[in-house]
Amino acid sequence: MIADQYDVFLFDLDGVIYCGDAILVGSRSCIRKLRALGKKIYFLTNDPRPTRQELCDRLNSMKIPVSKEEIITSGWATAQYLAENNISDVFAIATEGFISELEALGICTRMDVSCQAVVVGYNENANFIQIQQAIRHLEKGSRFIATNADQSFPGQNGRCMATGAIVEMIRMVSGNQPLIIGKPYSYIFSIVFRRVIPGSRMVMIGDSLETDILGAHRQGIDAILLSKDKLCFSSKYDYRMPDKIIPNLLDLFKPDVKVKCWRHPGFLWPDDVKPGVAAVIFNAQHQVLLVKRNDNGLWSLPSGHLEIGETVVEAIKREIQEELSLIVDVKKLIGVYSDPVSQVVSYPSGVTTHFITLSFLCCITGGCMQADNREIAEAAFFETSHLPTNILNMHPQWLTDALANQSFSFFR
Ligand SMILES: [Mg+2]
């Protein structure tokens, strides 16, 4: 049975243990049975509004005995993060419950003075003036921290705005990328990791693919979805694909039910997919043109991404002209590269992108090479047998494909 496969069980709350004010079938009995088996249990919720004590009281009133130490809310986790990082003055969009978790760790939430960080949780009375104030603080250099990124939740009369919707408004206007504490991001899970014996077999049980399942898999933890629906996924490597779907928590104790454990597919889960272009350009000595990029300090083939309204040929010609002041002609398509294992790239901003890149053989027809220092530190021709060692890991393959000089294009 599944209960025997793990030492530590992480439960989401809303939609798993209870739904609104109603306790869900099997949850009380499930927690009791796991305790009888000596299992460790934690409850991880993205809801930043209540304090841990309030949730503890609520579960106890539902006759599910828990201790405060077993409950980890995104609000309390955010307070932990701030305290660990010596952030003691914040501008907070938050409920009284969340503010009391902050104040319990000595974090001030004054509204009228400068602050070290803007902290966004949920407050249904949040208004445009507060959101505008948050943006002003970010413009003055405050850090941007959010409890979670859930954009909406189901209400009695339809979808309701959640923390992520407020975060998105601030992100769009300020251009600042927030650090997000809750699921599917790592910090909330790191609190659990610190409390369990290293090597413990751990599973997350939740009802959300985007937070519970994705979050667990990003941390290398197995993930079980509580659902009665059948699901379809576009890729067998989709991080949001649960390792098991169960309709009821009591399935954890059925003798013939087991979880097929999560195997990391070898790439980070991207935030978005973007079309990209690259150029292989040889000089008369058959040396290849490489550029050293400012953003990562690595050598690469000249490359960039497609702007709205461009063809791929227009995109590569524009990139070369902008970055190197060279005019090029496109001779042929060498290959299309989409394998996420090599095509997923993470940036210092925290954003991870999956590029689908078309690589073209190009030749120089005009211009005088001059690197645009905003993006390129250096540009030079290299012998194809002596490439620099600090080159983007997938580009030697693209060059090998170009040197193969085939009449067809590669699809990798
Ligand atoms: Mg849930």
Side-chain angles (χ1 to χ4, degrees):
M1 63 181 180
I2 295 171
D4 287 335
Q5 285 185 266
Y6 302 98
D7 311 307
V8 181
F9 289 77
L10 315 181
F11 288 94
D12 176 41
L13 282 174
D14 209 353
V16 175
I17 301 295
Y18 51 68
C19 195
D21 289 330
I23 186 162
L24 287 174
V25 178
S27 56
R28 189 183 295 143
S29 159
C30 166
I31 301 299
R32 184 170 38 80
K33 285 181 172 197
L34 288 176
R35 290 205 192 284
L37 291 167
K39 306 294 182 181
K40 278 252 172 218
I41 296 170
Y42 291 99
F43 300 94
L44 268 68
T45 176
N46 269 2
D47 189 348
R49 296 171 298 174
T51 62
R52 287 193 304 159
Q53 189 60 54
E54 284 165 354
L55 285 178
C56 188
D57 295 344
R58 184 174 181 187
L59 287 165
N60 288 333
S61 75
M62 291 175 166
K63 298 199 168 47
I64 298 177
V66 299
S67 73
K68 197 168 87 171
E69 282 61 44
E70 291 174 315
I71 297 173
I72 299 170
T73 71
S74 65
W76 177 76
T78 300
Q80 297 294 308
Y81 176 87
L82 296 170
E84 274 170 26
N85 288 277
N86 299 317
I87 297 173
S88 54
D89 270 305
V90 302
F91 174 84
I93 296 179
T95 56
E96 276 178 29
F98 179 24
I99 286 175
S100 72
E101 296 284 29
L102 294 170
E103 289 177 347
L105 291 177
I107 297 155
C108 288
T109 55
R110 287 174 296 183
M111 305 289 280
D112 52 344
V113 290
S114 64
C115 61
Q116 291 167 280
V118 166
V119 174
V120 182
Y122 182 79
N123 181 348
E124 63 185 6
N125 295 317
N127 59 45
F128 273 105
I129 294 168
Q130 287 176 312
I131 291 167
Q132 188 66 66
Q133 270 179 295
I135 293 161
R136 290 287 166 271
H137 284 302
L138 294 177
E139 285 172 341
K140 288 178 195 157
S142 298
R143 289 190 59 187
F144 184 15
I145 296 163
T147 55
N148 65 306
D150 304 43
Q151 298 205 338
S152 67
F153 61 88
Q156 276 185 336
N157 302 312
R159 304 293 303 173
C160 302
M161 271 177 63
T163 311
I166 304 171
V167 171
E168 194 58 16
M169 271 196 264
I170 297 171
R171 186 192 68 78
M172 283 177 73
V173 177
S174 68
N176 291 36
Q177 204 66 31
L179 171 78
I180 299 163
I181 298 293
K183 300 170 287 183
Y185 298 94
S186 63
Y187 187 80
I188 196 164
F189 289 96
S190 74
I191 292 180
V192 177
F193 293 156
R194 288 181 229 166
R195 294 172 174 208
V196 299
I197 300 163
S200 297
R201 299 168 303 164
M202 218 178 290
V203 65
M204 173 86 219
I205 301 167
D207 67 328
S208 162
L209 298 176
E210 300 293 338
T211 58
D212 303 319
I213 308 302
L214 174 58
H217 284 165
R218 277 181 157 171
Q219 300 306 309
I221 302 171
D222 291 354
I224 298 173
L225 183 76
L226 195 66
S227 173
K228 292 186 172 67
D229 300 331
K230 276 212 163 219
L231 300 167
C232 253
F233 295 89
S234 49
S235 157
K236 63 181 176 176
Y237 301 122
D238 196 322
Y239 275 48
R240 295 164 297 187
M241 193 188 313
D243 303 305
K244 186 80 191 170
I245 303 176
I246 56 172
N248 186 306
L249 287 180
L250 293 176
D251 274 31
L252 299 180
F253 307 95
K254 281 192 178 167
D256 52 341
V257 179
K258 280 208 152 196
V259 173
K260 194 169 142 272
C261 297
W262 163 249
R263 285 181 61 190
H264 197 284
F267 62 91
L268 294 175
W269 188 245
D271 299 292
D272 54 6
V273 182
K274 279 187 181 171
V277 287
V280 179
I281 301 169
F282 296 111
N283 64 9
Q285 292 75 43
H286 211 62
Q287 295 167 314
V288 65
L289 177 59
L290 298 179
V291 298
K292 193 175 188 182
R293 309 202 70 88
N294 284 330
D295 57 1
N296 55 20
L298 297 174
W299 288 95
S300 72
L301 293 165
S303 56
H305 25 90
L306 207 67
E307 299 292 348
I308 293 172
E310 271 185 326
T311 67
V312 286
V313 168
E314 286 166 346
I316 193 59
K317 287 183 162 192
R318 173 186 50 75
E319 287 284 353
I320 305 286
Q321 188 158 19
E322 280 175 6
E323 293 186 355
L324 296 159
S325 298
L326 290 173
I327 314 288
V328 296
D329 257 0
V330 171
K331 290 295 178 196
K332 69 175 228 187
L333 175 67
I334 297 166
V336 179
Y337 302 91
S338 63
D339 184 352
V341 172
S342 58
Q343 288 292 114
V344 170
V345 179
S346 289
Y347 293 94
S349 66
V351 172
T352 298
T353 297
H354 179 187
F355 283 104
I356 313 299
T357 306
L358 285 78
S359 176
F360 294 102
L361 181 67
C362 298
C363 68
I364 299 168
T365 57
C368 184
M369 189 160 85
Q370 193 179 2
D372 176 358
N373 294 117
R374 283 168 301 181
E375 291 193 49
I376 305 290
E378 252 180 283
F381 283 93
F382 287 82
E383 296 292 341
T384 56
S385 55
H386 289 91
L387 298 176
T389 49
N390 56 338
I391 185 169
L392 264 179
N393 61 351
M394 60 287 218
H395 285 202
Q397 179 67 59
W398 301 3
L399 179 58
T400 302
D401 292 348
L403 291 168
N405 200 21
Q406 298 292 341
S407 56
F408 56 83
S409 304
F410 292 89
F411 302 102
R412 297 189 191 277

